Amino acid sequence: MIRTSLISLLLLSTSLPAIAAPADTPSRVLEGRDLFALEVATDPQISPDGKTVAYVRKSGDIMTDRARSSIWLIDVATGRQTPIAAGNTGSATQPRWSPDGKRLAYISSEPGGKPQLFVRWMADHATARVTGLPDGPKDLAWSPDGTQIAYVMRVPGEAMKLGKAPDKPEGAQWAPPLEIIDRVDYRNDGGGYVEPGYDHIFLVPAEGGAPRQISFGAYNDGGPLAWSPDGGSILFTSVRKPDWQHDVFDSEVYALDITSGAITPLTTRVGPDNSPAISPDGRRVAYLGFDDKRLAYQNTRLSIMNRDGSSAQTITASLDRSIDKVEWAADGKSLYAQYDQEGVNRVARIALAGKVTQVATGLAGSGLDRPYSGGEFSVSKGGAVAFTSGSYYRPADISITQGSKTRQLTHLNDALLAAKSLGQVQELAVKAPDGRTVPAWLVTPPGYQPGARVPMILEIHGGPASAYGPAFSTDDQLYAAAGYAVLYTNPRGSTSYGEEFAQLIHHKYPGDDYNDLMAAVDAAIASGVADPDNLFVTGGSGGGVLTSWIVGKTNRFKAAATQKPVINWTSEALTMDNTLFTSRYWFEKKPWEDPMSYWSRSPLSLVGNVKTPTLVVVGSEDYRTPVSESEQYYAALQIQGVPTALVKVPGASHGGFTSRPSQSAAKAAAILAWFDKYRTQPKP
C-alpha cells in the first residue's frame, strides 16, 4: 500500500511557523497571528445629503476564527465613527439608506439564526426588526416613497422524484432518502449542492408587517433591484427563457409591474445584460453587458435604453475597459461608473454622449491574502463619492471625494501596521519576448539592503481574467517577512489593460503567458534582487494552472506550490460548478469532440517532465477547480517520484480559500516551510 503525505491545516499547529507563539517582545514583521487583528472596510453607503457614510467593517475574531461584520457610521465633517449594528457575536451587512436619509435598512444575524431585515431610525437611535424570514434576504432596495423595501430571497421547491421507497415502519432507523439531481448547475462553490427552489422578489412594509412575494416561476430572479420613480415597477435581472438552464450566460433586464405582476423583458440580445439603474426622471435605464461572442473574455460595457427597452445604445465603446458598477447622477445628465485601469480601480463620471471624467482613483477591494484590484463606491445627491481606498501597505479604508478634494475618513489598521516593518513594493519594468510590456511588481524583504540577492517567489494571480495591482497582500508580506522577495505580475490575459490584451490567451491558455512570467523572473534577476539559484513559484486557481504548467516546462525553480489548480481540462470541464462554462468559452469544441485540444493545454500532459519538488494545496470543499484536480496531480507526482505533499484546507471553498484567518496564515506557513526545505541560501 502506497503511503501518502497529507497535511491537514490546524489552528496554531506547532509544525507551521507563521503562527508564532507569544514572544517577550512584539515582532516587527507581519506574522500569522496578526491576520486576526487586521480590519477591512467594505460596502460604503453615503447618505443622500452626503453628511454620513455607513459601511461594513470586517474584523477578525480569534475565538471563532472568522471575520465578523458590523456596521459603522462616519460623520463626514468630523470623521467621528459610531457602531450601530452587530456586537461580538453577530454579523451585520448591506446597509441601505432610505430615500430621505432618515432611516437605514440592513441585514443582521445572530449565531444559529437566519439573517433578518432591520431598520434604524437615525434621529431616534431606535432599531426594529421588520422580518422573521425562513431564509436570508439580499439585494435590498427602498421604494421611492420610503414605505416599502424590496429584497430577493430563496423560495424552497421540490426535487425531482423517481420511484418510491417502501413504507418505513414506525420507529425504524433507515438510511437517508435518495438525492436526485436534474439541474445543469447542481452545485455552487461556497454554497454546496443546490437545494430545490428559486430566488424571487419580495416586498415588506418598512415599518414591519407581512412580506409579499411578487415574482414567481421556475426561474431565479436577482438584483440589484431598481425601482421606477413612481414606485409602480421594479427592474431586475433573470434568465426567464424556456431552456434557461442551458442559457445561464444570457441574462436579460426585466420590468416587473408591482400591481399586476406582469413581467416584461427590456433587453433581448444574446449576452449577459444586468445591473439596471433607472434615471431620476424615469425615462432611461442604464445597464451593463455585452454581445456574447463566446470569447474567453469580453469587456462589460455600459448601455442606455428608453424605459420601454427601445433605442438601446452603448456609451462606453471607446473606453476599452470593463464597467463594474453604475449609478445615475442626481441631475440625470451623466452616470458614475467604476472600472479597472492597469490594476487600479477608478470611479468616473460618464456623460450620456460617452465623455469620461475621472473623479476618484485608488479604490481597494476587500480581499487580504493577495493583491487583487477591486473596490466599491456610492454617490450622494450632491455628487460626493464615498469609496474604499487602500495601498501596498494598508488594506481597504473609507475615503470621500467631492470636487477636487479627497479625504481618507478611516485608518483602521494604522495602529497595528505602524508598528510593523513591511516589505517594500516597487514596480518592475518587464518586456516579453515579443516586445509587449508585462506589468510587474517586486516586494523586497523588510530591511532589504540594495544590491543583496535574496530568494524570490514568483506569485501568479488567478482568473486568468483578473488583475493584480498596488494593493495590500498578507501572503506577500508573510513571504517577505520570511526573507523572500516576491514577484507578482499581470501577464497577457489579465484584465484592465484593454480587451485585446485580455484576449491574447483566447483558446490558448496556458501558453504565451508562460513567456511573460519567465521574462518577469529574468527582469527580477537583472534588477539585482532575485537570487537565480533560489527561485520559487506559487499561485492559486489560474495561478495554480500556470504553476503546474511552469514546472512541466522548466527546472529553474527550486520548489513550487500549486494552489487549487486545474491540471486536466477535460475532468475540470465535467466537474466544476459552472457546468457549461469551460467547454463554451475556453475551448472551441466539447471534450469528446476534440480531446487532444484539452489534453495539450492540461498541465497533467507535462507531468512526465517535472523534477521540481511541488506542494499541492486545495480547499476540501472547492467546487470551482474541484479537489479531484489537485488529487490527480498529487497522485501523478507520486507516481513520477517527484517530492510532493498534499495540503487540504478543511471546509474551504475555492472563493473562501483564505476566509478563516488561521487557515490563511497556516496555508502561507505551509508554503514557506516547503520552500525553506529546498532553499540553499540560509534563512535570515
Side-chain angles (χ1 to χ4, degrees), residues 484-554:
Y484 292 83
V486 183
L487 171 65
Y488 66 92
T489 74
N490 283 332
R492 66 192 66 203
S494 300
T495 55
S496 78
Y497 298 90
E499 198 169 59
E500 186 265 346
F501 188 78
Q503 289 176 355
L504 287 172
I505 62 170
H506 176 62
H507 287 179
K508 50 180 179 179
Y509 164 72
D512 293 338
D513 39 4
Y514 167 83
N515 296 324
D516 294 351
L517 295 168
M518 294 305 100
V521 172
D522 292 340
I525 294 170
S527 74
V529 174
D531 178 354
D533 297 321
N534 278 281
L535 301 175
F536 303 85
V537 59
T538 188
S541 191
V545 173
L546 285 165
T547 298
S548 303
W549 189 258
I550 285 168
V551 295
K553 302 277 282 187
T554 180

Side-chain angles (χ1 to χ4, degrees), residues 139-276:
D139 297 319
L140 306 184
W142 286 84
S143 64
D145 63 4
T147 62
Q148 300 181 92
I149 300 173
Y151 61 89
V152 175
M153 187 182 72
R154 191 155 188 82
V155 177
E158 291 207 7
M160 181 181 184
K161 295 181 180 179
L162 290 173
K164 183 178 180 297
D167 293 333
K168 183 172 69 174
E170 185 176 351
Q173 299 294 319
W174 282 18
L178 303 181
E179 295 180 4
I180 300 174
I181 296 170
D182 64 345
R183 295 178 61 108
V184 176
D185 289 333
Y186 59 93
R187 58 185 184 180
N188 294 323
D189 185 69
Y193 283 78
V194 177
E195 296 289 336
Y198 301 94
D199 287 355
H200 287 305
I201 303 170
F202 290 76
L203 294 179
V204 65
E207 295 183 353
R212 177 166 65 98
Q213 183 177 341
I214 59 173
S215 75
F216 302 85
Y219 311 99
N220 285 314
D221 303 323
L225 306 177
W227 286 81
S228 61
D230 62 7
S233 60
I234 292 175
L235 272 55
F236 65 99
T237 303
S238 185
V239 187
R240 287 181 159 255
K241 302 173 183 181
D243 193 20
W244 69 268
Q245 291 196 55
H246 287 92
D247 290 322
V248 290
F249 307 114
D250 188 22
S251 59
E252 310 293 354
V253 174
Y254 294 85
L256 168 62
D257 185 282
I258 293 174
T259 301
S260 68
I263 294 177
T264 305
L266 300 184
T267 59
T268 57
R269 68 175 169 186
V270 176
D273 293 320
N274 53 67
S275 306

Side-chain angles (χ1 to χ4, degrees), residues 580-627:
L580 302 172
F581 182 81
T582 299
S583 60
R584 182 171 294 188
Y585 293 100
W586 285 2
F587 290 87
E588 188 174 353
K589 297 180 179 180
K590 299 178 180 67
W592 44 91
E593 296 172 341
D594 188 8
M596 288 311 298
S597 69
Y598 285 74
W599 180 248
S600 65
R601 287 163 51 191
S602 294
L604 190 58
S605 70
L606 302 177
V607 75
N609 302 333
V610 178
K611 306 297 181 187
T612 307
T614 301
L615 187 69
V616 185
V617 189
V618 68
S620 68
E621 295 182 12
D622 189 328
Y623 293 138
R624 182 62 45 81
T625 56
V627 181

Side-chain angles (χ1 to χ4, degrees), residues 57 90 121 126 143 148 197 225 262 327 370 373-374 404 416 420 475 493 511 541 589 628 682:
R57 183 169 171 172
W121 280 256
S143 64
Q148 300 181 92
L225 306 177
E327 289 189 23
R370 297 199 279 166
S373 63
S404 60
L416 170 68
K420 300 290 182 180
D475 274 7
S541 191
K589 297 180 179 180
S628 56

